[in-house]
Short mmCIF file of all heavy atoms in Angstrom, two decimals:
data_model
loop_
_atom_site.label_atom_id
_atom_site.label_comp_id
_atom_site.label_asym_id
_atom_site.label_seq_id
_atom_site.Cartn_x
_atom_site.Cartn_y
_atom_site.Cartn_z
N SER A 437 28.74 -38.26 -14.97
CA SER A 437 27.58 -38.61 -15.81
C SER A 437 26.50 -39.34 -15.03
O SER A 437 25.36 -39.43 -15.49
CB SER A 437 28.02 -39.50 -16.97
OG SER A 437 28.90 -38.83 -17.83
N PHE A 438 26.83 -39.85 -13.86
CA PHE A 438 25.91 -40.67 -13.07
C PHE A 438 25.01 -39.75 -12.26
O PHE A 438 25.17 -39.57 -11.05
CB PHE A 438 26.71 -41.62 -12.19
CG PHE A 438 25.97 -42.83 -11.70
CD1 PHE A 438 25.20 -43.60 -12.56
CD2 PHE A 438 26.05 -43.22 -10.37
CE1 PHE A 438 24.54 -44.74 -12.11
CE2 PHE A 438 25.40 -44.35 -9.91
CZ PHE A 438 24.64 -45.10 -10.78
N ASP A 439 24.05 -39.16 -12.96
CA ASP A 439 23.22 -38.12 -12.36
C ASP A 439 22.17 -38.71 -11.41
O ASP A 439 22.13 -39.92 -11.17
CB ASP A 439 22.56 -37.27 -13.45
CG ASP A 439 21.71 -38.10 -14.42
OD1 ASP A 439 21.26 -39.21 -14.05
OD2 ASP A 439 21.49 -37.62 -15.55
N LEU A 440 21.31 -37.85 -10.87
CA LEU A 440 20.34 -38.29 -9.88
C LEU A 440 19.40 -39.35 -10.44
O LEU A 440 19.12 -40.36 -9.78
CB LEU A 440 19.51 -37.09 -9.37
CG LEU A 440 18.43 -37.40 -8.34
CD1 LEU A 440 19.03 -38.00 -7.07
CD2 LEU A 440 17.63 -36.14 -8.02
N LYS A 441 18.94 -39.16 -11.67
CA LYS A 441 18.03 -40.13 -12.27
C LYS A 441 18.69 -41.51 -12.37
O LYS A 441 18.13 -42.52 -11.93
CB LYS A 441 17.60 -39.67 -13.67
CG LYS A 441 16.64 -40.63 -14.36
CD LYS A 441 16.29 -40.19 -15.77
CE LYS A 441 17.43 -40.46 -16.72
NZ LYS A 441 17.05 -40.22 -18.15
N LEU A 442 19.89 -41.54 -12.92
CA LEU A 442 20.58 -42.81 -13.08
C LEU A 442 20.97 -43.41 -11.73
O LEU A 442 20.92 -44.63 -11.54
CB LEU A 442 21.81 -42.63 -13.96
CG LEU A 442 21.52 -42.27 -15.42
CD1 LEU A 442 22.83 -41.94 -16.15
CD2 LEU A 442 20.79 -43.41 -16.14
N SER A 443 21.37 -42.56 -10.80
CA SER A 443 21.75 -43.04 -9.47
C SER A 443 20.57 -43.70 -8.77
O SER A 443 20.77 -44.64 -7.98
CB SER A 443 22.29 -41.89 -8.61
OG SER A 443 23.47 -41.35 -9.16
N LYS A 444 19.37 -43.24 -9.05
CA LYS A 444 18.18 -43.85 -8.45
C LYS A 444 17.74 -45.10 -9.21
O LYS A 444 17.32 -46.09 -8.61
CB LYS A 444 17.03 -42.83 -8.41
CG LYS A 444 17.23 -41.76 -7.35
CD LYS A 444 15.97 -40.89 -7.20
CE LYS A 444 16.10 -39.95 -6.01
NZ LYS A 444 14.87 -39.16 -5.79
N ILE A 445 17.85 -45.08 -10.53
CA ILE A 445 17.39 -46.21 -11.34
C ILE A 445 18.29 -47.43 -11.14
O ILE A 445 17.81 -48.55 -10.97
CB ILE A 445 17.34 -45.84 -12.83
CG1 ILE A 445 16.20 -44.85 -13.09
CG2 ILE A 445 17.16 -47.09 -13.71
CD1 ILE A 445 16.18 -44.30 -14.50
N TYR A 446 19.61 -47.21 -11.16
CA TYR A 446 20.55 -48.32 -11.04
C TYR A 446 20.66 -48.78 -9.59
O TYR A 446 20.71 -47.97 -8.66
CB TYR A 446 21.92 -47.92 -11.59
CG TYR A 446 22.01 -48.01 -13.09
CD1 TYR A 446 21.61 -46.94 -13.91
CD2 TYR A 446 22.48 -49.16 -13.71
CE1 TYR A 446 21.68 -47.03 -15.29
CE2 TYR A 446 22.56 -49.26 -15.10
CZ TYR A 446 22.16 -48.20 -15.88
OH TYR A 446 22.22 -48.29 -17.26
N ASP A 447 20.73 -50.09 -9.41
CA ASP A 447 20.83 -50.67 -8.07
C ASP A 447 22.19 -50.41 -7.43
O ASP A 447 22.33 -50.47 -6.21
CB ASP A 447 20.59 -52.18 -8.12
CG ASP A 447 19.22 -52.53 -8.67
OD1 ASP A 447 18.25 -51.85 -8.31
OD2 ASP A 447 19.13 -53.47 -9.49
N GLY A 448 23.19 -50.18 -8.25
CA GLY A 448 24.52 -49.95 -7.73
C GLY A 448 25.53 -49.89 -8.84
O GLY A 448 25.19 -49.72 -10.01
N VAL A 449 26.81 -50.01 -8.48
CA VAL A 449 27.89 -49.86 -9.44
C VAL A 449 28.89 -51.01 -9.28
O VAL A 449 28.94 -51.66 -8.24
CB VAL A 449 28.62 -48.50 -9.26
CG1 VAL A 449 27.66 -47.35 -9.47
CG2 VAL A 449 29.24 -48.41 -7.87
N ARG A 450 29.69 -51.22 -10.33
CA ARG A 450 30.73 -52.26 -10.27
C ARG A 450 32.11 -51.63 -10.27
O ARG A 450 32.39 -50.73 -11.07
CB ARG A 450 30.60 -53.22 -11.47
CG ARG A 450 31.74 -54.24 -11.53
CD ARG A 450 31.38 -55.49 -12.32
NE ARG A 450 31.34 -55.31 -13.74
CZ ARG A 450 32.33 -55.64 -14.58
NH1 ARG A 450 33.46 -56.14 -14.10
NH2 ARG A 450 32.19 -55.47 -15.88
N HIS A 451 32.95 -52.15 -9.39
CA HIS A 451 34.36 -51.75 -9.33
C HIS A 451 35.19 -52.79 -10.05
O HIS A 451 35.09 -53.98 -9.76
CB HIS A 451 34.81 -51.64 -7.87
CG HIS A 451 36.29 -51.51 -7.71
ND1 HIS A 451 37.12 -52.62 -7.54
CD2 HIS A 451 37.10 -50.42 -7.71
CE1 HIS A 451 38.37 -52.20 -7.44
NE2 HIS A 451 38.40 -50.89 -7.53
N ASP A 452 36.07 -52.34 -10.98
CA ASP A 452 36.88 -53.30 -11.73
C ASP A 452 38.33 -52.85 -11.88
O ASP A 452 39.10 -53.51 -12.58
CB ASP A 452 36.26 -53.56 -13.10
CG ASP A 452 36.74 -54.86 -13.73
OD1 ASP A 452 36.73 -55.90 -13.04
OD2 ASP A 452 37.15 -54.83 -14.90
N SER A 453 38.70 -51.74 -11.27
CA SER A 453 40.10 -51.31 -11.30
C SER A 453 40.29 -50.22 -10.26
O SER A 453 39.34 -49.57 -9.82
CB SER A 453 40.51 -50.80 -12.69
OG SER A 453 39.75 -49.67 -13.06
N GLY A 454 41.55 -50.00 -9.87
CA GLY A 454 41.86 -49.00 -8.88
C GLY A 454 41.68 -49.52 -7.46
O GLY A 454 41.28 -50.66 -7.23
N ASP A 455 41.98 -48.67 -6.50
CA ASP A 455 41.90 -49.03 -5.09
C ASP A 455 40.45 -49.24 -4.68
O ASP A 455 39.64 -48.31 -4.75
CB ASP A 455 42.52 -47.90 -4.24
CG ASP A 455 42.62 -48.26 -2.77
OD1 ASP A 455 41.57 -48.59 -2.17
OD2 ASP A 455 43.72 -48.21 -2.23
N PRO A 456 40.07 -50.45 -4.23
CA PRO A 456 38.67 -50.73 -3.93
C PRO A 456 38.13 -49.95 -2.74
O PRO A 456 36.94 -49.58 -2.72
CB PRO A 456 38.65 -52.24 -3.66
CG PRO A 456 40.05 -52.58 -3.27
CD PRO A 456 40.93 -51.65 -4.04
N ILE A 457 38.95 -49.70 -1.74
CA ILE A 457 38.49 -48.97 -0.55
C ILE A 457 38.26 -47.50 -0.90
O ILE A 457 37.24 -46.91 -0.52
CB ILE A 457 39.49 -49.11 0.61
CG1 ILE A 457 39.77 -50.59 0.89
CG2 ILE A 457 38.95 -48.41 1.84
CD1 ILE A 457 38.55 -51.43 1.19
N LYS A 458 39.19 -46.90 -1.63
CA LYS A 458 38.98 -45.51 -2.06
C LYS A 458 37.76 -45.40 -2.96
O LYS A 458 37.02 -44.42 -2.89
CB LYS A 458 40.23 -45.01 -2.79
CG LYS A 458 41.44 -44.81 -1.89
CD LYS A 458 42.63 -44.30 -2.68
CE LYS A 458 43.83 -44.09 -1.76
NZ LYS A 458 45.03 -43.63 -2.53
N PHE A 459 37.56 -46.42 -3.78
CA PHE A 459 36.38 -46.41 -4.65
C PHE A 459 35.10 -46.47 -3.82
O PHE A 459 34.14 -45.74 -4.10
CB PHE A 459 36.43 -47.58 -5.63
CG PHE A 459 35.26 -47.64 -6.56
CD1 PHE A 459 35.18 -46.83 -7.67
CD2 PHE A 459 34.21 -48.51 -6.31
CE1 PHE A 459 34.09 -46.87 -8.53
CE2 PHE A 459 33.11 -48.58 -7.16
CZ PHE A 459 33.06 -47.75 -8.27
N ALA A 460 35.07 -47.35 -2.82
CA ALA A 460 33.88 -47.44 -1.96
C ALA A 460 33.59 -46.10 -1.30
O ALA A 460 32.43 -45.66 -1.25
CB ALA A 460 34.09 -48.53 -0.91
N ASP A 461 34.63 -45.43 -0.82
CA ASP A 461 34.44 -44.11 -0.20
C ASP A 461 33.85 -43.13 -1.21
O ASP A 461 32.97 -42.33 -0.88
CB ASP A 461 35.78 -43.57 0.31
CG ASP A 461 36.33 -44.35 1.49
OD1 ASP A 461 35.55 -45.06 2.16
OD2 ASP A 461 37.55 -44.26 1.74
N ARG A 462 34.35 -43.21 -2.45
CA ARG A 462 33.87 -42.28 -3.50
C ARG A 462 32.41 -42.56 -3.84
O ARG A 462 31.62 -41.62 -4.04
CB ARG A 462 34.75 -42.44 -4.75
CG ARG A 462 34.36 -41.52 -5.90
CD ARG A 462 34.64 -40.08 -5.55
NE ARG A 462 34.29 -39.19 -6.64
CZ ARG A 462 33.07 -38.66 -6.84
NH1 ARG A 462 32.08 -38.97 -6.01
NH2 ARG A 462 32.86 -37.85 -7.85
N VAL A 463 32.02 -43.83 -3.90
CA VAL A 463 30.64 -44.19 -4.21
C VAL A 463 29.72 -43.72 -3.09
O VAL A 463 28.63 -43.14 -3.34
CB VAL A 463 30.50 -45.72 -4.41
CG1 VAL A 463 29.04 -46.11 -4.54
CG2 VAL A 463 31.28 -46.15 -5.64
N ILE A 464 30.11 -43.96 -1.86
CA ILE A 464 29.29 -43.54 -0.71
C ILE A 464 29.11 -42.03 -0.72
O ILE A 464 28.00 -41.51 -0.52
CB ILE A 464 29.94 -44.03 0.60
CG1 ILE A 464 29.83 -45.56 0.70
CG2 ILE A 464 29.29 -43.36 1.82
CD1 ILE A 464 30.70 -46.17 1.77
N GLN A 465 30.20 -41.31 -0.97
CA GLN A 465 30.11 -39.85 -1.04
C GLN A 465 29.17 -39.41 -2.15
O GLN A 465 28.36 -38.49 -1.97
CB GLN A 465 31.51 -39.27 -1.28
CG GLN A 465 31.53 -37.75 -1.42
CD GLN A 465 32.89 -37.24 -1.87
OE1 GLN A 465 33.49 -37.76 -2.82
NE2 GLN A 465 33.39 -36.23 -1.19
N HIS A 466 29.25 -40.07 -3.29
CA HIS A 466 28.37 -39.74 -4.42
C HIS A 466 26.90 -39.90 -4.04
O HIS A 466 26.09 -38.99 -4.28
CB HIS A 466 28.70 -40.62 -5.63
CG HIS A 466 27.75 -40.45 -6.76
ND1 HIS A 466 27.86 -39.42 -7.68
CD2 HIS A 466 26.64 -41.17 -7.13
CE1 HIS A 466 26.88 -39.51 -8.57
NE2 HIS A 466 26.14 -40.56 -8.26
N TYR A 467 26.56 -41.03 -3.46
CA TYR A 467 25.16 -41.25 -3.08
C TYR A 467 24.71 -40.25 -2.02
O TYR A 467 23.58 -39.73 -2.08
CB TYR A 467 24.96 -42.69 -2.59
CG TYR A 467 24.89 -43.70 -3.71
CD1 TYR A 467 25.70 -44.84 -3.70
CD2 TYR A 467 24.01 -43.54 -4.78
CE1 TYR A 467 25.63 -45.78 -4.72
CE2 TYR A 467 23.94 -44.47 -5.81
CZ TYR A 467 24.75 -45.59 -5.78
OH TYR A 467 24.68 -46.50 -6.79
N GLU A 468 25.54 -39.97 -1.07
CA GLU A 468 25.17 -39.00 -0.03
C GLU A 468 24.96 -37.62 -0.64
O GLU A 468 24.02 -36.90 -0.25
CB GLU A 468 26.26 -38.97 1.04
CG GLU A 468 26.27 -40.21 1.92
CD GLU A 468 27.40 -40.23 2.93
OE1 GLU A 468 28.36 -39.44 2.76
OE2 GLU A 468 27.33 -41.01 3.89
N ASN A 469 25.81 -37.24 -1.59
CA ASN A 469 25.63 -35.95 -2.26
C ASN A 469 24.33 -35.89 -3.04
O ASN A 469 23.75 -34.81 -3.24
CB ASN A 469 26.80 -35.68 -3.21
CG ASN A 469 28.10 -35.41 -2.48
OD1 ASN A 469 28.11 -35.12 -1.28
ND2 ASN A 469 29.22 -35.50 -3.18
N MET A 470 23.86 -37.05 -3.50
CA MET A 470 22.61 -37.13 -4.24
C MET A 470 21.39 -37.27 -3.31
O MET A 470 20.26 -37.34 -3.79
CB MET A 470 22.64 -38.33 -5.20
CG MET A 470 23.63 -38.21 -6.33
SD MET A 470 23.04 -37.04 -7.57
CE MET A 470 24.45 -37.00 -8.68
N GLY A 471 21.63 -37.33 -2.00
CA GLY A 471 20.53 -37.50 -1.06
C GLY A 471 19.99 -38.92 -1.03
O GLY A 471 18.83 -39.15 -0.66
N ILE A 472 20.82 -39.89 -1.41
CA ILE A 472 20.44 -41.30 -1.46
C ILE A 472 21.17 -42.04 -0.33
O ILE A 472 22.38 -41.87 -0.15
CB ILE A 472 20.80 -41.92 -2.82
CG1 ILE A 472 20.03 -41.23 -3.95
CG2 ILE A 472 20.52 -43.42 -2.83
CD1 ILE A 472 20.51 -41.63 -5.34
#
Side-chain angles (χ1 to χ4, degrees):
S437 297
F438 201 47
D439 58 23
L440 179 61
K441 180 183 76 172
L442 293 173
S443 296
K444 287 188 172 184
I445 290 173
Y446 279 86
D447 300 318
V449 299
R450 174 158 74 98
H451 168 268
D452 200 49
S453 62
D455 186 303
I457 306 304
K458 290 180 179 178
F459 180 79
D461 292 341
R462 181 68 179 88
V463 172
I464 291 166
Q465 178 189 48
H466 173 82
Y467 282 128
E468 288 176 343
N469 290 344
M470 293 286 175
I472 298 170

